[in-house]
Amino acid sequence: MSSDLTGLIISTILGWIAFSFGIAGCIPQSVRVLKTKDTQSISLSMYVLYCIGCVVWVIWSIGYTCEALSNLSEGLFAHDVTKTIIWFANLPTLFLNVICLALASIILTIKLINFLGSKKLKVSERDFVEQRWKKHG
């Protein structure tokens, strides 16, 4: 086994380990928001930017994998197993970002519903003054 192939296998294993931790990091917040529907302490801009980042990572993963497979020369790796390993090596990045995008999109949707719903609430002038007085009084 060549050192290039060994390095690829090691990076694939590390990718799957990172995938596991990445998913584990997204799940608790998603479960909490789905159970409580409380998104008051969650940053709207953070989730918008995070979702955009996940989309870009998905596009990159697909593009990188396609380019890596098309640029392989038969002289460098003579076996189809290498193409399979290259595809498999990029799956953690692709899967992680697809799953995290799905989870973050759910949170973002609930956040937007809560945010837009709170803008529609009408507070009387008296209630507004009382709230401000209690807060600063």
Side-chain angles (χ1 to χ4, degrees), residues 19-35 37-39 42-44 46-52 54-55 58 94-112:
F19 167 80
S20 301
F21 281 103
I23 293 299
C26 290
I27 290 174
Q29 185 70 53
S30 302
V31 169
R32 181 184 166 277
V33 168
L34 285 171
K35 281 183 178 179
K37 305 289 189 251
D38 177 24
T39 58
I42 295 174
S43 168
L44 176 62
M46 180 269 179
Y47 271 91
V48 168
L49 293 172
Y50 185 73
C51 286
I52 292 169
C54 286
V55 168
V58 167
L94 179 62
F95 286 166
L96 172 66
N97 286 289
V98 166
I99 293 170
C100 286
L101 176 61
L103 294 172
S105 295
I106 291 168
I107 293 172
L108 180 59
T109 301
I110 294 171
K111 176 68 176 178
L112 286 171

Side-chain angles (χ1 to χ4, degrees), residues 74-94:
E74 289 300 317
L76 181 59
F77 300 110
H79 303 291
D80 285 338
V81 71
T82 303
K83 291 182 181 181
T84 304
I85 291 172
I86 288 174
W87 172 247
F88 192 72
N90 288 296
L91 286 180
T93 305
L94 179 62

Side-chain angles (χ1 to χ4, degrees), residues 118-124 127:
S118 70
K119 294 293 183 189
K120 292 179 184 176
L121 294 176
K122 300 292 181 192
V123 178
S124 72
D127 290 339

Side-chain angles (χ1 to χ4, degrees), residues 1-9 76-77:
M1 188 180 304
S2 73
S3 64
D4 289 339
L5 195 55
T6 304
L8 195 54
I9 291 170
L76 181 59
F77 300 110

